[in-house]
Amino acid sequence: MPNKAKKKKKKKLAKTAYEPYVRHRITDSDMLALTALPPGVDRAEWLASNTVAFFKHINLLSSALSEFCTTSTCPTACGPGNTIYFWTDEHGRKLKCSAPLYFDYALSYIQELLTDEDVFPTKAGAAFPTGFFLLVQKVFLLLFRTLAHIYWSHYNEALALGLHPHLNTMFAHLTLFCQHHALLESEDTEPLQPLITALRRQR
Ligand SMILES: [Zn+2]
């Protein structure tokens, strides 16, 4: 029994020491410097490497909350203002589906694109395809919607898990990156504009 109590205390201390650091990351980061194209770097390469990084992080955040996003809690894929997200299949048909299905389609679609050498070449000097920018825009719209759904439907669970500093940082970084590189339409970001503004004010 005393051993167990000791173990529990140790675990609690470690968590308390870690948390303030994570929370401070939001205001410590210079997001603008992180998003701008570094001198001498090819624009397509910069977009590609950031797309991969954003996908990996958002995929992780989304899977951390996946147990709360089910066909019964979220029978319709939606975002702020109850905007419904329709999935367009390979035949151009619009499908109304549950949130877990929509985001599974979205993240699988992105993963497939990122591992396609013809779209996201990894070999030095390989050319990016025509239409690369349009595909990157599509990927960022799906990533934006993934975070928008978390804010709209799972913010309380994110708070309970202590994920909100990560979520806020990721969202602030993503929206600034998209604004800087003209990746999202204002009609897509509009429902979350008050949050975008509030997160920028904090910097
Ligand atoms: Zn959900």
Short mmCIF file of all heavy atoms in Angstrom, two decimals, residues 117-151:
data_model
loop_
_atom_site.label_atom_id
_atom_site.label_comp_id
_atom_site.label_asym_id
_atom_site.label_seq_id
_atom_site.Cartn_x
_atom_site.Cartn_y
_atom_site.Cartn_z
N GLU A 117 4.39 9.21 -54.65
CA GLU A 117 5.62 9.85 -55.15
C GLU A 117 5.34 10.85 -56.28
O GLU A 117 6.09 11.80 -56.47
CB GLU A 117 6.57 8.78 -55.70
CG GLU A 117 7.75 8.36 -54.85
CD GLU A 117 8.58 9.43 -54.18
OE1 GLU A 117 9.20 10.25 -54.87
OE2 GLU A 117 8.62 9.44 -52.94
N ASP A 118 4.24 10.61 -57.04
CA ASP A 118 3.94 11.51 -58.16
C ASP A 118 3.34 12.83 -57.68
O ASP A 118 3.34 13.82 -58.41
CB ASP A 118 2.93 10.85 -59.12
CG ASP A 118 3.56 9.65 -59.81
OD1 ASP A 118 4.79 9.65 -59.98
OD2 ASP A 118 2.81 8.71 -60.16
N VAL A 119 2.79 12.83 -56.48
CA VAL A 119 2.16 14.06 -55.96
C VAL A 119 3.10 14.76 -54.98
O VAL A 119 3.31 15.97 -55.04
CB VAL A 119 0.81 13.74 -55.27
CG1 VAL A 119 0.13 15.03 -54.83
CG2 VAL A 119 -0.10 12.95 -56.18
N PHE A 120 3.63 13.99 -54.04
CA PHE A 120 4.56 14.54 -53.05
C PHE A 120 5.92 13.84 -53.22
O PHE A 120 6.24 12.92 -52.47
CB PHE A 120 4.03 14.32 -51.63
CG PHE A 120 2.98 15.31 -51.22
CD1 PHE A 120 1.66 15.15 -51.60
CD2 PHE A 120 3.31 16.43 -50.46
CE1 PHE A 120 0.68 16.07 -51.24
CE2 PHE A 120 2.35 17.36 -50.09
CZ PHE A 120 1.03 17.18 -50.49
N PRO A 121 6.69 14.26 -54.23
CA PRO A 121 7.96 13.57 -54.47
C PRO A 121 8.95 13.78 -53.32
O PRO A 121 9.02 14.86 -52.76
CB PRO A 121 8.48 14.21 -55.76
CG PRO A 121 7.77 15.51 -55.87
CD PRO A 121 6.47 15.37 -55.15
N THR A 122 9.65 12.72 -52.97
CA THR A 122 10.63 12.85 -51.87
C THR A 122 12.06 12.86 -52.41
O THR A 122 12.98 13.21 -51.69
CB THR A 122 10.47 11.67 -50.88
OG1 THR A 122 10.51 10.44 -51.62
CG2 THR A 122 9.19 11.76 -50.09
N LYS A 123 12.21 12.47 -53.67
CA LYS A 123 13.57 12.44 -54.24
C LYS A 123 14.02 13.86 -54.57
O LYS A 123 13.23 14.67 -55.09
CB LYS A 123 13.60 11.58 -55.51
CG LYS A 123 13.38 10.11 -55.21
CD LYS A 123 13.56 9.26 -56.46
CE LYS A 123 13.18 7.83 -56.17
NZ LYS A 123 11.75 7.55 -56.37
N ALA A 124 15.29 14.15 -54.28
CA ALA A 124 15.83 15.49 -54.53
C ALA A 124 15.72 15.84 -56.00
O ALA A 124 16.04 15.02 -56.87
CB ALA A 124 17.29 15.54 -54.09
N GLY A 125 15.22 17.04 -56.26
CA GLY A 125 15.15 17.52 -57.64
C GLY A 125 13.92 17.07 -58.40
O GLY A 125 13.70 17.53 -59.53
N ALA A 126 13.11 16.17 -57.84
CA ALA A 126 11.90 15.70 -58.54
C ALA A 126 10.88 16.84 -58.62
O ALA A 126 10.74 17.63 -57.68
CB ALA A 126 11.31 14.50 -57.81
N ALA A 127 10.19 16.90 -59.77
CA ALA A 127 9.25 18.01 -59.97
C ALA A 127 7.91 17.73 -59.30
O ALA A 127 7.47 16.57 -59.22
CB ALA A 127 9.05 18.22 -61.46
N PHE A 128 7.28 18.79 -58.82
CA PHE A 128 5.93 18.68 -58.26
C PHE A 128 4.94 18.73 -59.42
O PHE A 128 5.18 19.42 -60.42
CB PHE A 128 5.68 19.81 -57.27
CG PHE A 128 6.39 19.62 -55.97
CD1 PHE A 128 7.70 20.09 -55.80
CD2 PHE A 128 5.80 18.94 -54.92
CE1 PHE A 128 8.38 19.89 -54.60
CE2 PHE A 128 6.47 18.74 -53.72
CZ PHE A 128 7.76 19.22 -53.56
N PRO A 129 3.83 17.99 -59.33
CA PRO A 129 2.91 17.94 -60.47
C PRO A 129 2.13 19.24 -60.67
O PRO A 129 2.01 20.05 -59.76
CB PRO A 129 1.95 16.81 -60.07
CG PRO A 129 1.95 16.83 -58.59
CD PRO A 129 3.32 17.23 -58.18
N THR A 130 1.59 19.39 -61.87
CA THR A 130 0.69 20.51 -62.16
C THR A 130 -0.54 20.29 -61.25
O THR A 130 -0.97 19.16 -61.08
CB THR A 130 0.21 20.45 -63.63
OG1 THR A 130 1.32 20.11 -64.42
CG2 THR A 130 -0.43 21.72 -64.08
N GLY A 131 -1.05 21.33 -60.69
CA GLY A 131 -2.21 21.17 -59.81
C GLY A 131 -1.81 20.85 -58.37
O GLY A 131 -2.67 20.60 -57.52
N PHE A 132 -0.50 20.88 -58.10
CA PHE A 132 -0.03 20.58 -56.74
C PHE A 132 -0.63 21.54 -55.72
O PHE A 132 -1.11 21.13 -54.66
CB PHE A 132 1.51 20.65 -56.70
CG PHE A 132 2.08 20.50 -55.32
CD1 PHE A 132 2.09 19.27 -54.68
CD2 PHE A 132 2.62 21.58 -54.64
CE1 PHE A 132 2.60 19.12 -53.40
CE2 PHE A 132 3.14 21.44 -53.35
CZ PHE A 132 3.12 20.21 -52.74
N PHE A 133 -0.67 22.83 -56.08
CA PHE A 133 -1.18 23.84 -55.15
C PHE A 133 -2.67 23.58 -54.82
O PHE A 133 -3.07 23.70 -53.66
CB PHE A 133 -1.00 25.24 -55.75
CG PHE A 133 -1.36 26.34 -54.81
CD1 PHE A 133 -0.56 26.64 -53.71
CD2 PHE A 133 -2.52 27.09 -54.99
CE1 PHE A 133 -0.90 27.65 -52.82
CE2 PHE A 133 -2.88 28.10 -54.10
CZ PHE A 133 -2.05 28.38 -53.02
N LEU A 134 -3.43 23.17 -55.82
CA LEU A 134 -4.86 22.89 -55.59
C LEU A 134 -5.04 21.71 -54.64
O LEU A 134 -5.93 21.70 -53.78
CB LEU A 134 -5.57 22.58 -56.91
CG LEU A 134 -5.82 23.77 -57.83
CD1 LEU A 134 -6.43 23.31 -59.14
CD2 LEU A 134 -6.73 24.80 -57.14
N LEU A 135 -4.16 20.70 -54.79
CA LEU A 135 -4.24 19.53 -53.89
C LEU A 135 -3.86 19.92 -52.47
O LEU A 135 -4.49 19.47 -51.50
CB LEU A 135 -3.31 18.42 -54.39
CG LEU A 135 -3.84 17.59 -55.56
CD1 LEU A 135 -2.79 16.64 -56.07
CD2 LEU A 135 -5.09 16.80 -55.12
N VAL A 136 -2.84 20.78 -52.35
CA VAL A 136 -2.44 21.24 -51.01
C VAL A 136 -3.59 22.02 -50.37
O VAL A 136 -3.90 21.84 -49.18
CB VAL A 136 -1.14 22.10 -51.08
CG1 VAL A 136 -0.85 22.80 -49.76
CG2 VAL A 136 0.04 21.22 -51.48
N GLN A 137 -4.28 22.85 -51.17
CA GLN A 137 -5.45 23.59 -50.65
C GLN A 137 -6.52 22.63 -50.14
O GLN A 137 -7.11 22.84 -49.09
CB GLN A 137 -6.04 24.46 -51.76
CG GLN A 137 -5.29 25.74 -52.00
CD GLN A 137 -5.96 26.58 -53.06
OE1 GLN A 137 -6.33 26.07 -54.12
NE2 GLN A 137 -6.13 27.86 -52.79
N LYS A 138 -6.74 21.55 -50.89
CA LYS A 138 -7.76 20.58 -50.51
C LYS A 138 -7.37 19.89 -49.19
O LYS A 138 -8.22 19.70 -48.30
CB LYS A 138 -7.91 19.54 -51.63
CG LYS A 138 -9.09 18.65 -51.46
CD LYS A 138 -9.32 17.78 -52.68
CE LYS A 138 -10.49 16.84 -52.44
NZ LYS A 138 -10.67 15.89 -53.52
N VAL A 139 -6.08 19.53 -49.08
CA VAL A 139 -5.61 18.89 -47.85
C VAL A 139 -5.81 19.82 -46.66
O VAL A 139 -6.32 19.41 -45.60
CB VAL A 139 -4.11 18.50 -47.98
CG1 VAL A 139 -3.53 18.12 -46.63
CG2 VAL A 139 -3.94 17.35 -48.98
N PHE A 140 -5.46 21.10 -46.83
CA PHE A 140 -5.59 22.03 -45.70
C PHE A 140 -7.06 22.28 -45.33
O PHE A 140 -7.37 22.48 -44.16
CB PHE A 140 -4.83 23.33 -45.95
CG PHE A 140 -3.38 23.19 -45.52
CD1 PHE A 140 -2.41 22.82 -46.44
CD2 PHE A 140 -3.01 23.35 -44.19
CE1 PHE A 140 -1.09 22.64 -46.05
CE2 PHE A 140 -1.69 23.17 -43.78
CZ PHE A 140 -0.72 22.82 -44.71
N LEU A 141 -7.94 22.23 -46.31
CA LEU A 141 -9.36 22.38 -45.98
C LEU A 141 -9.81 21.20 -45.10
O LEU A 141 -10.51 21.39 -44.10
CB LEU A 141 -10.21 22.45 -47.26
CG LEU A 141 -11.72 22.52 -47.03
CD1 LEU A 141 -12.11 23.78 -46.24
CD2 LEU A 141 -12.49 22.50 -48.34
N LEU A 142 -9.37 19.99 -45.46
CA LEU A 142 -9.76 18.80 -44.67
C LEU A 142 -9.13 18.85 -43.28
O LEU A 142 -9.77 18.48 -42.28
CB LEU A 142 -9.35 17.52 -45.41
CG LEU A 142 -10.10 17.25 -46.72
CD1 LEU A 142 -9.51 16.06 -47.45
CD2 LEU A 142 -11.60 17.02 -46.46
N LEU A 143 -7.89 19.32 -43.19
CA LEU A 143 -7.24 19.43 -41.86
C LEU A 143 -7.94 20.49 -41.02
O LEU A 143 -8.16 20.31 -39.81
CB LEU A 143 -5.75 19.77 -42.02
CG LEU A 143 -4.87 18.67 -42.65
CD1 LEU A 143 -3.44 19.17 -42.82
CD2 LEU A 143 -4.88 17.40 -41.79
N PHE A 144 -8.31 21.60 -41.67
CA PHE A 144 -9.03 22.67 -40.97
C PHE A 144 -10.36 22.13 -40.43
O PHE A 144 -10.73 22.38 -39.27
CB PHE A 144 -9.28 23.84 -41.93
CG PHE A 144 -10.09 24.95 -41.31
CD1 PHE A 144 -9.47 25.94 -40.55
CD2 PHE A 144 -11.47 25.02 -41.48
CE1 PHE A 144 -10.22 26.96 -39.96
CE2 PHE A 144 -12.22 26.03 -40.89
CZ PHE A 144 -11.59 27.00 -40.14
N ARG A 145 -11.06 21.37 -41.25
CA ARG A 145 -12.36 20.81 -40.82
C ARG A 145 -12.19 19.82 -39.67
O ARG A 145 -13.06 19.72 -38.80
CB ARG A 145 -13.06 20.13 -42.00
CG ARG A 145 -13.64 21.15 -42.96
CD ARG A 145 -14.35 20.47 -44.11
NE ARG A 145 -14.99 21.46 -44.96
CZ ARG A 145 -15.67 21.15 -46.06
NH1 ARG A 145 -15.78 19.88 -46.45
NH2 ARG A 145 -16.23 22.09 -46.78
N THR A 146 -11.08 19.08 -39.68
CA THR A 146 -10.83 18.12 -38.59
C THR A 146 -10.73 18.89 -37.27
O THR A 146 -11.36 18.50 -36.27
CB THR A 146 -9.51 17.34 -38.85
OG1 THR A 146 -9.55 16.79 -40.16
CG2 THR A 146 -9.29 16.25 -37.83
N LEU A 147 -9.99 20.00 -37.28
CA LEU A 147 -9.87 20.79 -36.04
C LEU A 147 -11.18 21.50 -35.73
O LEU A 147 -11.58 21.60 -34.56
CB LEU A 147 -8.72 21.80 -36.17
CG LEU A 147 -7.31 21.21 -36.29
CD1 LEU A 147 -6.27 22.31 -36.35
CD2 LEU A 147 -6.99 20.26 -35.12
N ALA A 148 -11.88 21.98 -36.76
CA ALA A 148 -13.15 22.68 -36.54
C ALA A 148 -14.16 21.74 -35.87
O ALA A 148 -14.89 22.16 -34.97
CB ALA A 148 -13.70 23.18 -37.88
N HIS A 149 -14.18 20.48 -36.29
CA HIS A 149 -15.11 19.52 -35.68
C HIS A 149 -14.75 19.29 -34.21
O HIS A 149 -15.63 19.19 -33.35
CB HIS A 149 -15.11 18.20 -36.44
CG HIS A 149 -15.98 17.16 -35.80
ND1 HIS A 149 -17.36 17.25 -35.81
CD2 HIS A 149 -15.67 16.06 -35.07
CE1 HIS A 149 -17.86 16.22 -35.13
NE2 HIS A 149 -16.87 15.48 -34.67
N ILE A 150 -13.45 19.22 -33.92
CA ILE A 150 -13.02 19.03 -32.52
C ILE A 150 -13.49 20.23 -31.68
O ILE A 150 -14.06 20.06 -30.61
CB ILE A 150 -11.48 18.85 -32.42
CG1 ILE A 150 -11.07 17.53 -33.10
CG2 ILE A 150 -11.02 18.88 -30.96
CD1 ILE A 150 -9.57 17.29 -33.15
N TYR A 151 -13.30 21.46 -32.19
CA TYR A 151 -13.74 22.64 -31.43
C TYR A 151 -15.26 22.63 -31.25
O TYR A 151 -15.76 22.97 -30.19
CB TYR A 151 -13.33 23.93 -32.16
CG TYR A 151 -11.94 24.38 -31.82
CD1 TYR A 151 -10.92 24.33 -32.75
CD2 TYR A 151 -11.62 24.85 -30.53
CE1 TYR A 151 -9.64 24.75 -32.44
CE2 TYR A 151 -10.34 25.27 -30.22
CZ TYR A 151 -9.35 25.22 -31.17
OH TYR A 151 -8.09 25.62 -30.86
#
